[in-house]
């Protein structure tokens, strides 16, 4: 904690004390008008994870199909991952982003492009899960694709490029190194082409070729019925040669600068801290997930308490996004512009402090653990997230049962495991820090090991 | 066959075309039986999902909705209180919103309320203040349900007891901060009822700065004592739990809150469509220019409301065909946004680069005239009905949005003023005919009684 925060804490405490002594009315404790509760505070029992059974089949075309049958489901979900390996090469990303937007528009689907390829998911009616699953696989030939839809998708992606997300570029180059797929995916300089419909169909056919594609169907019908119907529907699907080569793993380069500050006249200042962690199914993944929670993801974490108690920050958010072979963790703070330097200092001191097991209190660890466990339960409950988990597990070469191992690891992770994750993945020099604040506040930012770059004022 | 000719000329390769024919024929064979079943399948699934639903009233007036679902992994607790921004008295805008924040006490017993919920594994814990109601919700593992009910009841029991000037001042600053952040995000006119319908009942969604300063400790205490009474509360539990046990826990927790009658009536408001057409231009350009239209339409569950849901789907389809494919728009959507005192039918179009608002508006008017001239075909109506039921099924499949929907709708009539019950939705949509839909379009989407708002495009840098 910086000196000025300490000073302000002292002043604040004095004010509070004076207010408490002088303003008798404000400190009055009213009698409760309610009757006493009829039971003592109950104790929660430990959560348990029940994974749904997943039926896996490979169709004659080579298409891998996973079916989950949920008798109580109100709707179905179909999801597909196309893993084209080296086909997803650099230089194609602009076009693939247009294609992803096109599929969102025409296919009413959620689409993402990442190192593993293309992932598409869609909620569907229970009665049409097979039809919609087949439609997803044969999207390249979908009659709904049109030249005007391609034009619109290009325009929308170009427009999105103009949004003020410049700081994303620094983050990806800092975290993954220059000239990488991730860098290209988030680049504002990316050239967004307007491909022809013919080019779109050809590219989709290439990406969605069966042996490189996995499909998940979540519905109510028994798996055998679904697979039989799908086999019939996709009987005409040709085979394609599988591709062995994959996109190389992310670089560990950390080019300077580590802290990027952007001048902007905003009523609040934003601080975003990002870091790359282990893949979800790796041995130390549980420790890392709990470390991020312990740092800022609970209302009892020291960082949250300090920022909130001092009134420096309204929003303290953490997010861990599963990526292929790693996770991207983000801590985002919105703070009073005058306090932006203290917020950055506090983050840096916290990651250093929490690398020691004794600094991770039992209360913080228990809260972090409970939150992660409930989040895991919710994940297998939502059809879309369940489907995504199945596809990610397939890509990682593990089954859905890997989630049970993750659940067990989360349940038993110790303060030592969490501190080890801080040491390995969250040393101060590994953090990528972005600050958006009024220019006159940027001069006081603390020094960081990887250097600071200040960009001029944006309007 | 014309369709296939178009398809092939649009760029399908010869091999691809053969594949299309094979795959589509196969799909049609599979879908043949599915098509006839679709409505029944979704409708049945929705109706079946309500079979275990129970509604109770505790002695002190708290309504309870128990919605056990065997297939769920988590359980959601939602408390819906029938007080919202429309209850804010003049000169005290923001009172209900600030009240919601105060109900997340910080430091009570050394803990923020959310911290207590998080210690139980409570994720997605939050509150939201809406014009009609304030909702508090949290998702937990089934084994934490009793403890969460205990903590939620304690929130409503003890906040008034412990509230002090310092705590209120802190929450006031948090609300201000929230408003500053909200102003940072892009302004979407389609969600700004205060601009689209400034004379309507939902104009003071956000507290004004000076009004927040006028909400002192006495005002807040009086508000909590009068508004947060059992007769305004509905507790919904949805997900994996045992109903009988949950009811026992509710009686031992929420059942101990002192019964009291809500003081004062809510501001009265009589629904009427806009009297005339009103046009205005927003002075804050956005990346894409936008054209937004709105009509006042029947309230949630009233005759015409369901018809306009389907009309919005038909309108969205035609906007896609004409504005999107015609190169006039990047996105185009219509929706019936239903509330208790008035609904708004909102049509929102993001203009394509180079397209003018006038050209888009002319095309929208042409579509509107066509829809008002001829009833829809039965086939189109069925497709829209299927799509609507599907949207409903998506909402009802996840315990959190399901609990939030049940929270305000099952507190019908006396609590919020709604005459809407989601259990009747399947029947509501099944009763719509081409002529009833057409009649609603003609009656409610009158071109002479609407708002037209234009957001100019930002000039490229």
């Amino acid at each position: 904690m910086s000196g000025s925060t300490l000073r302000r804490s002292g002043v604040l405490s004095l004010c509070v004390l004076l207010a408490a002594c002088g303003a008798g009315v404000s400190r009055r404790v009213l009698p409760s008008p309610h009757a006493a509760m009829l039971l003592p505070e109950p104790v929660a029992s430990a959560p348990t994870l029940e994974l749904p059974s997943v039926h896996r089949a490979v169709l004659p075309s080579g298409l891998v199909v996973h079916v989950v049958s949920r008798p109580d489901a109100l709707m179905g979900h179909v999801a597909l991952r196309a893993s084209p390996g080296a086909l997803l090469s650099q230089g194609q990303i602009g076009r693939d982003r247009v294609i992803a937007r096109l599929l969102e528009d025409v296919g009413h689907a959620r689409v993402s492009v990442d190192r593993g390829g293309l992932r598409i998911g869609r909620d569907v009616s229970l009665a049409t899960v097979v039809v919609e699953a087949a439609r997803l696989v044969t999207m390249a030939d979908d009659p709904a694709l049109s030249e005007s839809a391609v034009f619109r998708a290009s325009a929308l992606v170009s427009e999105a490029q103009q949004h003020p997300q410049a700081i994303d570029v620094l983050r990806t180059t800092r975290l993954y190194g220059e000239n990488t797929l991730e860098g290209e995916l988030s680049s504002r300089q990316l050239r967004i082409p307007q491909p022809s419909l013919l080019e779109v169909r050809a590219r989709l056919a290439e990406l969605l070729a069966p042996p490189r594609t996995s499909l998940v169907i979540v519905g109510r019908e028994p798996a055998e019925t679904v697979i039989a119907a799908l086999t019939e529907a996709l009987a005409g699907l040709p085979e394609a040669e599988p591709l062995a080569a994959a996109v190389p793993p992310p670089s560990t380069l950390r080019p300077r600068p580590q802290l990027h500050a952007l001048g902007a006249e905003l009523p609040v200042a934003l601080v975003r801290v990002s870091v790359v962690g282990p893949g979800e199914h790796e041995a130390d993944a549980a420790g890392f997930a709990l470390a991020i929670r312990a740092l800022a993801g609970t209302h009892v974490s020291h960082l949250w308490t300090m920022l909130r108690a001092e009134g420096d920050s309204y929003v303290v958010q953490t997010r861990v996004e599963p990526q292929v072979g790693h996770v991207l963790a983000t801590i985002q703070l919105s703070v009073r512009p005058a306090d932006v330097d203290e917020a950055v200092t506090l983050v840096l001191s916290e990651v250093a402090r929490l690398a020691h097991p004794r600094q991770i209190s039992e209360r913080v660890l228990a809260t972090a653990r409970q939150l992660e466990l409930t989040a895991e339960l919710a994940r297998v409950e939502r059809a879309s997230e369940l489907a995504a988990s199945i596809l990610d597990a397939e890509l990682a070469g593990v089954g859905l049962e890997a989630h049970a191992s993750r659940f067990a690891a989360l349940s038993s992770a110790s303060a030592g495991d969490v501190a080890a994750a801080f040491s390995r993945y969250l040393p101060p020099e590994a953090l990528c820090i972005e600050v958006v604040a009024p220019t006159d506040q940027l001069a006081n930012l603390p020094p960081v090991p990887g250097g600071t770059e200040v960009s001029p004022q944006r309007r | 066959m014309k369709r296939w000719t178009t398809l092939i000329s649009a760029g399908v390769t010869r091999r691809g075309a053969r594949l299309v024919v094979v795959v589509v024929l196969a799909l049609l064979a599979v879908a043949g039986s599915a098509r006839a079943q679709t409505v029944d399948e979704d409708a049945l699934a929705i109706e079946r999902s309500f079979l275990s639903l129970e509604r109770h009233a505790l002695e002190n007036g708290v309504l309870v909705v128990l919605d056990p679902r065997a297939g769920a992994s988590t359980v959601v607790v939602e408390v819906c209180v029938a007080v919202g921004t429309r209850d804010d008295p003049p000169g005290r805008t923001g009172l209900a919103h600030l009240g919601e924040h105060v109900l997340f006490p910080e430091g009570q017993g050394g803990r923020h309320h959310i911290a207590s919920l998080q210690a139980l594994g409570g994720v997605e814990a939050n509150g939201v203040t809406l014009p009609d109601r304030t909702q508090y919700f949290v998702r937990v593992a089934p084994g934490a349900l009793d403890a969460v009910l205990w903590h939620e009841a304690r929130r409503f029991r003890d906040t008034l007891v412990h509230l002090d000037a310092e705590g209120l001042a802190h929450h006031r600053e948090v609300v201000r901060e929230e408003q500053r952040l909200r102003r940072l995000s892009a302004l979407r006119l389609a969600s700004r009822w205060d601009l689209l319908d400034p004379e309507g009942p939902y104009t003071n969604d956000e507290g004004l700065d000076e009004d927040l300063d006028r909400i002192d400790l006495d005002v807040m205490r009086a508000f909590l004592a009068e508004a947060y009474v059992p007769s305004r509360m509905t507790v919904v539990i949805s997900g994996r739990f045992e109903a009988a046990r949950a009811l026992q826990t509710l009686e031992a927790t929420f059942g101990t809150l002192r019964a009291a009658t809500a003081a004062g009536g809510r501001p009265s408001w009589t629904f009427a469509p806009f009297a005339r057409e009103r046009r205005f231009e927003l002075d804050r350009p956005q990346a894409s220019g936008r054209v937004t239209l709105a009509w006042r339409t029947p309230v949630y569950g009233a005759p015409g409301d369901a018809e306009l849901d389907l009309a919005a789907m038909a309108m969205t389809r035609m906007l896609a065909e004409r504005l999107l494919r015609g190169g006039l728009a990047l996105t185009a959507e219509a929706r019936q946004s239903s509330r208790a005192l008035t609904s708004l039918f909102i049509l929102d179009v993001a203009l394509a680069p180079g397209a003018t608002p006038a050209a888009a508006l002319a095309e929208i008017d042409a579509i509107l005239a066509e829809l008002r001239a001829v009833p829809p075909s039965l086939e189109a109506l069925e497709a829209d009905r299927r799509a609507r039921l599907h949207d409903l099924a998506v909402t009802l499949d996840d315990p959190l949005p399901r609990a939030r929907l049940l929270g305000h709708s099952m507190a019908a009539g006396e609590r919020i003023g709604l005459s809407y019950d989601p259990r009747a939705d399947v029947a509501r949509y099944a009763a719509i005919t081409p002529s009833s839909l057409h009649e609603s379009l003609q009656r409610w989407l009158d071109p002479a009684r609407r708002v037209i708002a234009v957001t100019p495009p930002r000039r490229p840098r």
Side-chain angles (χ1 to χ4, degrees), chain B residues 25-92:
Chain B
L25 286 177
L27 291 184
L28 289 176
V30 175
S33 57
R35 183 167 297 169
Q37 294 169 22
T38 310
V39 173
D40 288 344
E41 276 270 350
D42 287 341
L44 273 174
I46 290 169
E47 289 184 329
R48 229 180 348 235
S49 79
F50 289 123
L51 285 179
S52 306
L53 192 140
E54 299 174 15
R55 190 174 177 216
H56 302 271
L58 303 185
E59 277 187 24
N60 59 1
V62 173
L63 277 183
V64 171
V65 178
L66 301 178
D67 178 43
R69 298 197 61 215
S73 306
T74 62
V75 60
V76 169
V77 174
E78 201 245 22
V79 182
C80 176
V81 185
V83 63
T85 54
R86 80 175 169 94
D87 299 298
D88 289 348
R92 301 277 192 278

Side-chain angles (χ1 to χ4, degrees), chain A residues 83-87 212 241-247:
Chain A
S83 310
L87 273 183
R212 302 191 280 270
E241 289 299 316
L243 290 182
V247 181

Side-chain angles (χ1 to χ4, degrees), chain A residues 26-27 30 34-35 38-39 41 70 72 74 125 141 152 159 197-198 220 268 299 314 363 374 381-382, chain B residues 10-11 20 42 45 48 71 73-74 111 118 121 124 139 150-151 157 161 164 177-178 252 258 288 397:
Chain A
S26 70
R27 301 301 287 176
L30 302 176
H34 307 289
L38 300 177
L39 82 169
E41 182 179 348
R70 301 198 312 168
D72 290 323
L74 280 170
S125 165
D141 301 312
R152 259 193 333 275
E159 189 190 290
L197 182 58
L198 196 65
R220 201 161 52 194
V268 290
H299 281 39
Y314 167 64
R363 185 184 182 194
T374 311
E381 182 174 61
R382 298 185 186 109
Chain B
V20 168
D42 287 341
R48 229 180 348 235
S73 306
T74 62
R111 259 189 183 186
Q118 287 183 339
E124 299 165 65
R139 185 196 296 264
W150 191 91
H151 278 279
R157 291 168 50 86
V161 173
D164 56 29
E177 189 76 20
E178 191 172 295
R258 190 186 66 168
S288 304
D397 199 49

Side-chain angles (χ1 to χ4, degrees), chain A residues 16 25-45 47 50 70 72-75 101 105 123-128 130-131 134-135 138 141-143 146-148 151-152 155-156 159 162-163 188 197-198 201 205 220-221 229 232-234 236-238 266-268 270 293 297-300 304 308 314-315 334-336 363 367 370-371 374-375 377-378 380-382 458-459, chain B residues 3-4 7 10-12 15-16 19-20 22-23 26-27 30-31 34 37-38 41-42 45-46 48-49 69-74 101 106 110-112 114-115 118-124 139-144 146-147 150-151 153-154 156-157 160-161 163-166 170 174 177-178 180-181 184 217 221 240 251-253 256-258 287-288 324-325 329-331 353 390 393-394 396-399 402 461:
Chain A
V16 168
V25 175
S26 70
R27 301 301 287 176
R28 187 182 63 198
V29 176
L30 302 176
S32 174
H34 307 289
M37 283 216 259
L38 300 177
L39 82 169
E41 182 179 348
V43 177
S45 58
E50 288 174 28
R70 301 198 312 168
D72 290 323
L74 280 170
M75 50 114 198
R101 188 66 184 81
D105 190 17
D123 293 329
V124 298
S125 165
L126 283 168
T128 58
V130 172
V131 177
R135 187 183 168 203
T138 58
D141 301 312
D142 196 317
S146 65
E147 291 285 3
S148 66
F151 166 78
R152 259 193 333 275
L156 284 166
E159 189 190 290
Q162 293 169 24
H163 287 178
R188 281 188 86 217
L197 182 58
L198 196 65
R201 289 193 191 282
R220 201 161 52 194
E221 295 297 316
E232 188 185 341
L234 293 176
L237 215 56
L266 300 174
V268 290
L270 305 172
R293 288 272 189 196
T298 81
H299 281 39
V300 291
W304 195 96
R308 190 65 181 244
Y314 167 64
V315 174
S334 73
V335 297
R336 281 199 302 238
R363 185 184 182 194
T367 302
Q370 291 298 325
L371 288 170
T374 311
L377 295 184
V380 296
E381 182 174 61
R382 298 185 186 109
R458 279 176 63 93
R459 295 203 178 270
Chain B
R3 189 174 178 138
W4 298 117
L7 168 69
V12 179
R15 185 187 68 85
L19 173 63
V20 168
V22 172
V23 169
L27 291 184
V30 175
Q37 294 169 22
T38 310
E41 276 270 350
D42 287 341
I46 290 169
R48 229 180 348 235
S49 79
R69 298 197 61 215
S73 306
T74 62
H101 279 262
E106 300 195 22
R111 259 189 183 186
H112 189 289
I114 290 189
Q118 287 183 339
L120 299 168
V123 296
E124 299 165 65
R139 185 196 296 264
V140 288
D146 285 349
W150 191 91
H151 278 279
R154 191 180 74 155
F156 296 109
R157 291 168 50 86
L160 187 56
V161 173
L163 180 65
D164 56 29
E166 185 197 333
H170 173 79
V174 173
E177 189 76 20
E178 191 172 295
R180 281 195 283 272
L181 281 172
L184 268 182
L217 195 56
R221 279 181 174 154
R240 186 166 191 167
E251 279 166 349
T253 52
T256 62
L257 299 179
R258 190 186 66 168
S288 304
L324 300 189
R325 288 188 196 164
L330 295 179
T331 63
H390 172 64
V394 171
L396 292 171
D397 199 49
D398 184 324
R402 183 180 174 95
R461 277 196 293 271

Side-chain angles (χ1 to χ4, degrees), chain A residues 176-384:
Chain A
Y176 298 109
E178 288 168 335
N179 302 318
T180 64
L181 191 67
E182 282 76 12
E184 214 176 346
L185 279 165
S186 70
S187 171
R188 281 188 86 217
Q189 278 71 49
L190 190 62
R191 194 180 69 83
I192 302 299
Q194 193 195 320
S196 69
L197 182 58
L198 196 65
E199 287 170 324
V200 166
R201 289 193 191 282
R203 176 67 171 163
L204 271 172
E206 190 174 50
L207 292 174
L208 300 178
R212 302 191 280 270
T213 302
S214 296
L215 183 69
V216 176
I217 301 177
V218 183
R220 201 161 52 194
E221 295 297 316
E224 297 76 13
T225 311
V226 172
I227 287 171
L230 190 68
T231 306
E232 188 185 341
L234 293 176
L237 215 56
E239 280 189 52
E241 289 299 316
L243 290 182
V247 181
S251 155
T252 52
L253 289 173
R254 292 200 177 109
R256 293 165 67 94
Q258 178 182 9
L259 193 157
H260 186 204
L262 189 69
E265 291 304 325
L266 300 174
V268 290
L270 305 172
V271 177
R272 185 169 72 169
V273 179
S274 308
V275 70
V276 168
E280 283 202 301
H281 303 298
E282 288 179 34
D284 44 5
F288 180 80
L290 295 174
I292 296 298
R293 288 272 189 196
L295 176 61
T298 81
H299 281 39
V300 291
S301 63
H302 185 63
L303 181 64
W304 195 96
T305 312
M306 285 305 299
L307 289 169
R308 190 65 181 244
E310 294 290 339
D312 288 351
S313 175
Y314 167 64
V315 174
V316 182
Q317 287 175 325
T318 61
R319 199 166 154 198
V320 178
E321 299 164 79
Q323 308 281 321
V324 177
H326 67 287
V327 295
L328 176 60
T330 311
I331 296 125
Q332 189 157 318
L333 319 169
S334 73
V335 297
R336 281 199 302 238
D339 300 324
V340 69
D341 53 334
E342 289 174 17
V344 175
T345 302
L346 195 54
V347 172
L348 291 168
S349 67
E350 273 300 281
V351 293
R353 183 179 73 86
L354 291 168
H356 304 285
R358 273 183 298 181
Q359 294 295 327
I360 296 161
S361 72
E362 184 49 42
R363 185 184 182 194
V364 167
L365 178 60
T367 302
R369 182 185 292 132
Q370 291 298 325
L371 288 170
E372 278 299 308
L373 293 176
T374 311
E376 287 295 312
L377 295 184
R379 203 165 159 185
V380 296
E381 182 174 61
R382 298 185 186 109
S384 57

